[in-house]
Amino acid sequence: MADGGRRALLKAAAFGGAGAGLAATGLPEPAVAGPGSRGPRVAILLYDGITALDAVGPYEVLSRVPGASVVTVAKRVGPVRTDTGVLGLVADRALRQVRHADVLLVPGAGNRGVIAAMEDAETVDWVRRLHERSTWTVSVCTGVLILGAAGLLRGIPATTYWASRSYMESTFGAVYTPGRFVESGKIITAAGVSAGIDMALHLAAKLVDERTAQALQLAVEYDPDPPFDTGSPEKAGPELQQLALRLLEDAAA
């Protein structure tokens, strides 16, 4: 089905099920970028070994912010393999081609990927330069360690993947703060992987307004109801923590 036909079908189903569109509810239309206006420019860093959902989860939300433009950026234009080596994401621009963004988004990776990125001077320098002019600098999971390598975390409340909390504090001087995401000035850090979606919805409210962010949550039908209550190390316990890390390591390319 063509994209236009699919949209028409979805729109008809949604409005038919609800029995009324926005106009009938009396609510104002969502904020949109008008003629001549410019929405936020979002740059998502890609690098070898990246965790796919760290980038794709926030992308699904931020790419639908009214007026937003999103670009994926890596050392070189082209495909970047994710941590398992199975999935590839495509970088549209090289680091040298992107000198400014309103939102800089740094996803995380497994040990191999994030350590290589932290030790890569070109990548770290690029993050530091974009942060100087960004409105928001955000990270997901172990992406916060790249912010740390760029010297952005000392004394800053932040969160990260549960297994990296102590490393983040001891190596970069961040102050670990519990939460799915933590906002400190213009830096927002998200906990592991799926928390990037929570962070992106919070950021969408900052970029536009809360009502639009609520609509975006519905647009991607983000209504978590997991079958198990083991989504944090505190709930899971030591045995599952060890198994989780082993599963990640075994799946890594």
Side-chain angles (χ1 to χ4, degrees), residues 142-165:
T142 56
V144 73
L145 304 181
I146 300 175
L147 299 188
L152 307 182
L153 290 186
R154 187 153 301 278
I156 297 295
T159 190
T160 185
Y161 187 64
W162 58 270
S164 300
R165 295 170 182 174

Side-chain angles (χ1 to χ4, degrees), residues 40 42 62 65-66 68 102-103 135-136 200 202-209:
V42 181
L62 298 177
V65 168
D102 300 301
V103 177
T135 303
W136 297 99
H202 174 74
L203 180 57
K206 297 283 187 177
L207 293 171
V208 189
D209 56 52

